[in-house]
Amino acid sequence: MPWTVAPEPHDSPVAAALWRAYYTEVSDRWYLLHEGRRTDPGELEREIAARPGGDLAPPKGLLLVARYAGEPAGSAGIRLLDDATAELTRVFLHAGVRGRGGAALLVRAAEDAARARGATRMVLDTRGDLVEARALYARLGYTETEPHNTDPYAEHWFAKGLG
């Protein structure tokens, strides 16, 4: 199989490039839907800098990077919210490798990492326009639940038992 998934320092050049690609895509999608424009470059830089990913550093967090044929192709992060609950975040694959099983592989690896840290439940949030993400989470056994955060862009919250 051409996929591998391994932990990556949240502040590595690979992590930074994947974060930039992820944030650019979801931000542009939001602005195109709501305002008919792409993200302002200055705003993009401020938001990327404001969320460097330190919450994805061990021991309470972890960033996983998927590689396809050896090349960085996507990421998924977890952070422990409490002793039993982990949050899944930054699930992303470059468009060119989507549809090849990488997203499910990443989410399952994140679930395994959360279990290894003692979590018995995984939660996540997403937006309504990210229909592919919502379909992925439903396919992997996540169910919609009550909000677990107050993120202004979150519109759907999911949970899954990790037992």
Side-chain angles (χ1 to χ4, degrees):
M1 177 166 26
W3 287 105
T4 60
V5 176
E8 180 79 22
H10 75 280
D11 56 355
S12 75
V14 166
L18 287 167
W19 172 228
R20 176 174 293 284
Y22 167 88
Y23 195 81
T24 300
E25 182 174 325
V26 297
S27 182
D28 278 354
R29 246 173 114 155
W30 191 90
Y31 278 112
L32 285 168
L33 178 65
H34 295 283
E35 297 184 11
R37 64 173 179 91
R38 294 197 179 281
T39 309
D40 173 81
E43 179 185 3
L44 183 68
E45 293 307 316
R46 283 189 304 278
E47 288 301 315
I48 288 171
R51 298 179 182 194
D55 56 341
L56 302 179
K60 298 264 185 188
L62 182 70
L63 179 68
L64 297 168
V65 167
R67 286 179 167 75
Y68 186 80
E71 294 299 314
S75 64
I78 62 163
R79 56 182 161 238
L80 293 178
L81 300 180
D82 58 43
D83 289 342
T85 307
E87 183 176 34
L88 180 64
T89 186
R90 294 193 189 187
V91 178
F92 170 75
L93 281 179
H94 283 298
V97 294
R98 292 179 187 157
R100 298 179 187 183
L105 187 69
L106 264 169
V107 172
R108 288 187 184 112
E111 291 170 353
D112 289 344
R115 272 188 213 93
R117 285 160 176 74
T120 58
R121 181 174 179 250
M122 184 82 86
V123 297
L124 64 94
D125 67 67
T126 191
R127 296 191 327 236
D129 64 307
L130 300 177
V131 294
E132 306 90 344
R134 291 185 8 244
L136 169 70
Y137 301 134
R139 190 170 69 248
L140 295 177
Y142 287 80
T143 56
E144 285 212 49
T145 187
E146 293 299 314
H148 66 271
N149 64 25
T150 57
D151 185 318
Y153 295 103
E155 298 170 315
H156 297 270
W157 293 263
F158 289 83
K160 178 181 178 179
L162 298 177

